[in-house]
Amino acid sequence: MTYDQLKQTALIQFAQLGYEGASLSVIANEVGIKKQSIYTHFKSKDDLYIQTFHEATDCEIDFVKQFIEDQESLQLREVLSKFLTEYLERFEKNNNMKFFMRTSFYPPVKHEEVIKAGSNRFVDRLESLFTALFEQYSDELRHDVTPETAALAFLTMLDGLLVELIYGIPERLQKRSKQSWSVFWRGISIESGEL
Amino acid sequence: MTYDQLKQTALIQFAQLGYEGASLSVIANEVGIKKQSIYTHFKSKDDLYIQTFHEATDCEIDFVKQFIEDQESLQLREVLSKFLTEYLERFEKNNNMKFFMRTSFYPPVKHEEVIKAGSNRFVDRLESLFTALFEQYSDELRHDVTPETAALAFLTMLDGLLVELIYGIPERLQKRSKQSWSVFWRGISIESGEL
DNA sequence: AACCACCTTCCGAACGGTCGTAAGGTAATC
DNA sequence: GATTACCTTACGACCGTTCGGAAGGTGGTT
């Protein structure tokens, strides 16, 4: 269906070039139709853009929610490190995430409000999901580390690694990810003596 | 001098709107000259852009270098937390930093290579400066934490907080910054029992 | 089976607008 | 007299958008 192809192609273009950088004629070209035909499916470029954004937001929220639900029987340490690697890998392969991040970081001014609302929805969800996770495993936490503290520190580290991901030097990401994780784990975990 | 005004205004515009979003006529307007007069000072939009970028990079490197040099007599903990707050504050007030971050994160495709080189220059500098700093204070580090580990973990946390800065919700940044710092410090420091 | 009305999808042509850029002219400065 | 800084005018390219119509499919009426 042309409609879905359009959304998918727009997602990629917006992710790579941003709102202003992406052009309707290129998008249409890639799909195999003329620029004017886009208006059969979408009211305007803005319409296409924010519709893409909303779906991307939902998709990102679903991913995290699903991931956490799926990890039932693992230990805290395993859940977290698995999430870390899987989420970072996701960036490489998933245009949805690339688009969502770019849009959240630097939205076009005229849609700033809508997009800020959307990304806050995502971040709030992330925080509450991870706080709940840490509550569930709170016996593995140091006594002076609350679940919320652990969650926020973890998510901050995650954001920091995403930045490295954007910079796009795999070896550096690898190093940072390993070292940050070790410091983080030492900072929250009750088992204090190991490497 | 018009030349400097142009660069300064361009910096702000590029920081707020990105390369494609910024327009030469708006920039000229803001300075008080006509668009075409820009070409007296710069060969092209690209020229203006990458020249602005190189100066921004130098400026960012200088800031960090200067900051670290200035903190002689403080304790490690104080140096780090002071850097954290000062660097985050810098983002609010300093357009140079905003521009540099935006450009490093999402450069226009046609200048990707030049800009990646520039931001790597910055990141490498950061890493070596902070590794040196942690070496200097290595007696305050846990025995199983190398200076490099501490540096990379710190810089990752810093990047994560910068992301929160971009999102632009001060209270959330405040919370994240406090909690991340406490976890980080527990993760690297030898003094293990305090809050 | 044949006709008609309707809807969807697409495209050609064209719109007004903005973009970055070029060339040439005019003062002022050194 | 050469150089510098700014101007006016104009250009072609591309942008997002609109309109009218061609083509094809669907469903209802006769």
Side-chain angles (χ1 to χ4, degrees):
Chain A
M1 208 176 162
T2 311
Y3 175 75
D4 292 319
Q5 277 180 269
L6 271 174
K7 284 203 293 190
Q8 194 191 328
T9 309
L11 186 83
I12 297 173
Q13 292 290 317
F14 284 138
Q16 280 173 354
L17 305 167
Y19 175 79
E20 295 91 354
S23 122
L24 290 187
S25 57
V26 169
I27 293 174
N29 232 2
E30 214 116 314
V31 173
I33 63 174
K34 297 292 165 182
K35 173 176 60 162
Q36 306 87 297
S37 308
I38 294 180
Y39 288 82
T40 306
H41 307 277
F42 300 93
K43 260 176 41 208
S44 63
K45 186 184 188 181
D46 299 69
D47 182 30
L48 174 59
Y49 185 72
I50 71 130
Q51 199 163 319
T52 306
F53 174 70
H54 281 132
E55 289 183 26
T57 310
D58 294 339
C59 180
E60 288 308 298
I61 291 181
D62 282 351
F63 169 79
V64 180
K65 210 176 127 192
Q66 196 58 48
F67 181 93
I68 295 211
E69 277 176 16
D70 286 355
Q71 317 304 325
E72 288 274 327
S73 54
L74 291 180
Q75 285 194 305
L76 176 62
R77 185 191 175 123
E78 290 164 340
V79 178
L80 293 178
S81 65
K82 190 177 171 197
F83 181 79
L84 217 55
T85 53
E86 223 161 284
Y87 200 56
L88 296 183
E89 267 176 29
R90 180 175 163 83
F91 181 85
E92 304 290 323
K93 292 157 190 167
N94 192 294
N95 290 306
N96 196 81
M97 181 170 164
K98 279 191 193 133
F99 167 79
F100 180 72
M101 281 180 59
R102 175 167 202 151
T103 304
S104 299
F105 283 8
Y106 297 110
V109 265
K110 69 164 139 172
H111 295 127
E112 223 172 347
E113 238 122 287
V114 185
I115 283 163
K116 279 222 157 113
S119 35
N120 281 336
R121 186 161 66 90
F122 173 72
V123 175
D124 287 344
R125 210 77 162 80
L126 255 191
E127 287 190 3
S128 74
L129 278 169
F130 272 92
T131 305
L133 181 75
F134 281 107
E135 264 161 15
Q136 193 180 327
Y137 289 97
S138 60
D139 51 332
E140 296 190 39
L141 297 182
R142 294 170 54 134
H143 56 283
D144 52 355
V145 170
T146 69
E148 200 203 7
T149 297
L152 295 185
F154 181 75
L155 292 175
T156 303
M157 176 181 70
L158 189 67
D159 283 341
L161 294 174
L162 288 180
V163 169
E164 204 51 53
L165 212 42
I166 293 178
Y167 280 141
I169 302 201
E171 311 91 60
R172 209 165 59 195
L173 171 67
Q174 207 58 31
K175 265 195 342 194
R176 284 213 182 192
S177 145
K178 190 177 159 215
Q179 313 291 15
S180 301
W181 165 258
S182 78
V183 169
F184 168 76
W185 184 253
R186 257 190 291 262
I188 65 156
S189 155
I190 212 165
E191 26 158 340
S192 208
E194 43 71 65
L195 189 85
Chain B
M1 207 176 159
T2 312
Y3 175 75
D4 292 320
Q5 277 179 271
L6 271 174
K7 285 202 295 189
Q8 193 192 327
T9 309
L11 185 84
I12 297 173
Q13 291 290 317
F14 284 138
Q16 280 173 354
L17 306 167
Y19 176 80
E20 294 91 355
S23 125
L24 289 188
S25 57
V26 170
I27 293 175
N29 232 2
E30 214 117 312
V31 172
I33 63 173
K34 298 294 165 182
K35 171 178 59 161
Q36 297 77 350
S37 307
I38 293 181
Y39 287 83
T40 306
H41 308 276
F42 301 93
K43 260 176 39 207
S44 64
K45 187 185 188 180
D46 299 68
D47 182 29
L48 174 60
Y49 185 71
I50 70 130
Q51 198 162 321
T52 306
F53 173 70
H54 282 132
E55 289 184 26
T57 310
D58 293 339
C59 180
E60 288 308 299
I61 291 180
D62 282 351
F63 170 78
V64 180
K65 210 175 127 192
Q66 197 58 48
F67 181 93
I68 295 211
E69 278 176 14
D70 287 354
Q71 317 302 326
E72 287 275 326
S73 54
L74 292 179
Q75 286 195 303
L76 176 63
R77 185 191 176 122
E78 290 165 340
V79 178
L80 293 179
S81 66
K82 190 176 170 197
F83 181 79
L84 217 56
T85 53
E86 223 160 285
Y87 199 57
L88 295 182
E89 267 176 30
R90 180 175 163 84
F91 181 86
E92 302 291 324
K93 292 159 190 165
N94 193 295
N95 289 307
N96 195 81
M97 181 170 166
K98 277 190 194 136
F99 167 77
F100 179 73
M101 283 181 59
R102 176 167 201 150
T103 303
S104 299
F105 284 9
Y106 297 110
V109 263
K110 69 163 140 174
H111 295 127
E112 221 171 351
E113 239 123 284
V114 185
I115 283 162
K116 281 225 156 109
S119 36
N120 281 336
R121 187 160 66 90
F122 173 73
V123 175
D124 287 344
R125 209 78 163 79
L126 256 190
E127 287 189 2
S128 73
L129 278 168
F130 272 92
T131 305
L133 181 75
F134 281 108
E135 264 161 15
Q136 194 180 326
Y137 289 96
S138 60
D139 51 331
E140 296 191 40
L141 296 182
R142 293 171 54 135
H143 56 283
D144 53 355
V145 170
T146 68
E148 201 202 5
T149 297
L152 294 185
F154 181 75
L155 292 176
T156 302
M157 175 180 70
L158 189 68
D159 282 341
L161 293 174
L162 288 180
V163 168
E164 204 51 54
L165 211 44
I166 292 178
Y167 279 140
I169 302 199
E171 311 91 59
R172 211 166 57 193
L173 172 66
Q174 206 59 31
K175 265 196 341 196
R176 285 214 182 192
S177 144
K178 191 178 159 213
Q179 314 289 15
S180 300
W181 166 258
S182 78
V183 169
F184 169 76
W185 185 254
R186 257 188 292 260
I188 66 156
S189 155
I190 211 163
E191 29 159 338
S192 207
E194 43 71 68
L195 188 86

